[in-house]
C-alpha cells in the first residue's frame, strides 16, 4: 500500500468481495477516479479463515445464509496502519449478505469502528442481487454509532428479473452454472454485474473525482440512483 502525498485529495477505499462483484465495481470506480488529481489507498478485507467461492453445496449455502442472517462475524486480518491516516473521503464497499453487511465488514466495525470512522466522511458502496435496503439501514446505524458522516450511497443490483435472479445467485453460490441450465438459460443471462454497470461505476468514479477536485462540498448532491445501477 502506498502512502498518499500531502498535496492531492486522498480517498481510502476499504472493501470486501466474495465473488468478485464488488471488486469489479471498485476497480471501475478507481479507473474513473484516476482521471483526477486524487490518491486512492485501497484496503481489501481478508477473512482470517479463508471462505471459498463458490461455497460448493446446497447445504453449505443454506448454512451460510442462515448464519449471515444472524449477522455472523467473519474475523479479518489486521488492516494496514495507513488506513488510520487523514482522508478526504472513505469509500466502504461490500456485498449484501442475508439483508446485512457482510461478515468481514461487520468485523471491521467491531474491531476498528471508532478509530476508523469517527468524524470521517464516508460513502458506502453496496453490491447485491437486489435487496439492499435493510443492509443500507444497518450500515447507516453502524456508521452513525461510530461517528461517521455519510455523504451519499452507491448501490449496484444484479440486473436479472425475479425469481430467476434469486435462483441464479443461489445456484451460483452452491457451485452450479445457472447460465447453462436448460430450464434457466433464457431467463438468467449472467451472474453479477454487467459491463454496462461497470462503465456506470467508472462514471461514478469520475463524478466523485470531479467533485473532490472542486472542494468536495457537494458529494451529497451526486446522483448515483440510475436505471443502470439499480435496474
Ligand atoms: C451468504 C450470502 C447472502 C446473500 N444475501 C443477499 C441478500 O440478502 N440480498 C441481496 O440482494 N443479495 C444477497 N446476496 C448476493 C450478493 O450480495 C451479490 O451476489 C453480490 O453482488 C456479491 O458481491 P461480491 O462478489 O463482491 O461478494 C448474498 C450472497 C451471499 C454469499
Amino acid at each position: 500500500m502506498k502512502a498518499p502525498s500531502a498535496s492531492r485529495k486522498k480517498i481510502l477505499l476499504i472493501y470486501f468481495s466474495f465473488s468478485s462483484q464488488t471488486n469489479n465495481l471498485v476497480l471501475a470506480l478507481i479507473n474513473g477516479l484516476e482521471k483526477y488529481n486524487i490518491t486512492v489507498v485501497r484496503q481489501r478485507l481478508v477473512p482470517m479463515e479463508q471462505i471459498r467461492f463458490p461455497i460448493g453445496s446446497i447445504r453449505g449455502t443454506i448454512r451460510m445464509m442462515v448464519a449471515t442472517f444472524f449477522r455472523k462475524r467473519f474475523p479479518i486480518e489486521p488492516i494496514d496502519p495507513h488506513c488510520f491516516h487523514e482522508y478526504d473521503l472513505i469509500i466502504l464497499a461490500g456485498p449484501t449478505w442475508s439483508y446485512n453487511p457482510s461478515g468481514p465488514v461487520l468485523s471491521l466495525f467491531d474491531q476498528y469502528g471508532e478509530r476508523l470512522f469517527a468524524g470521517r466522511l464516508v460513502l458506502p458502496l453496496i453490491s447485491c442481487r437486489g435487496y439492499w435496503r435493510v443492509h443500507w439501514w444497518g450500515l447507516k446505524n453502524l456508521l452513525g454509532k461510530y461517528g461517521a458522516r455519510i455523504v451519499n450511497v452507491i448501490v449496484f443490483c444484479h440486473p436479472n428479473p425475479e425469481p430467476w435472479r434469486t435462483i441464479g445467485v443461489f445456484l451460483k453460490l452452491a457451485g452450479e452454472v445457472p447460465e447453462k441450465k436448460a430450464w434457466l438459460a433464457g431467463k438468467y443471462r449472467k451472474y453479477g454485474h454487467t459491463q454496462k454497470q461497470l462503465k456506470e461505476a467508472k462514471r461514478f468514479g469520475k463524478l466523485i473525482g470531479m467533485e473532490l477536485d472542486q472542494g468536495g462540498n457537494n458529494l451529497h448532491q451526486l446522483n448515483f440512483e440510475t436505471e443502470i445501477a439499480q435496474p
Side-chain angles (χ1 to χ4, degrees), residues 74-93:
F74 285 66
I76 49 172
E77 299 286 348
I79 59 174
D80 194 285
H82 281 132
C83 293
F84 304 106
H85 290 182
E86 284 295 317
Y87 292 93
D88 298 289
L89 180 68
I90 297 179
I91 299 175
L92 175 63

Side-chain angles (χ1 to χ4, degrees), residues 148-176:
R149 288 157 55 206
I150 303 170
V151 293
N152 210 322
V153 64
I154 299 177
V155 180
F156 277 92
C157 300
H158 298 187
N160 284 295
E162 291 289 12
W164 317 114
R165 176 168 67 180
T166 294
I167 294 168
V169 167
F170 184 84
L171 290 175
K172 196 77 178 181
L173 291 171
E176 309 270 339

Side-chain angles (χ1 to χ4, degrees), residues 190-209:
K190 173 187 173 291
Y191 171 75
H193 304 301
T194 57
Q195 284 301 321
K196 217 169 154 188
Q197 289 186 306
L198 297 183
K199 269 195 192 159
E200 188 72 334
K202 180 174 173 181
R203 188 176 74 81
F204 289 174
K206 285 185 191 167
L207 288 180
I208 297 165

Side-chain angles (χ1 to χ4, degrees), residues 51-71:
I51 33 171
R52 280 179 202 281
F53 174 79
I55 299 162
S57 70
I58 289 184
R59 185 183 291 217
T61 303
I62 292 172
R63 220 182 294 133
M64 180 148 169
M65 286 185 163
V66 172
T68 53
F69 181 78
F70 290 103
R71 298 164 69 90

Side-chain angles (χ1 to χ4, degrees), residues 16-25 44 53 55 61 64-66 68 94-100 102 126-132 135 156-158 165 169 173 191-193:
F16 169 71
S17 188
F18 179 47
S19 62
S20 294
Q21 300 308 307
T22 307
N23 189 49
N24 293 343
L25 293 171
R44 186 171 188 150
F53 174 79
I55 299 162
T61 303
M64 180 148 169
M65 286 185 163
V66 172
T68 53
T96 302
W97 276 8
S98 303
Y99 307 101
N100 291 307
S102 61
I126 293 173
S127 165
C128 67
R129 79 176 189 279
Y131 307 101
W132 54 275
H135 175 182
F156 277 92
C157 300
H158 298 187
R165 176 168 67 180
V169 167
L173 291 171
Y191 171 75
H193 304 301

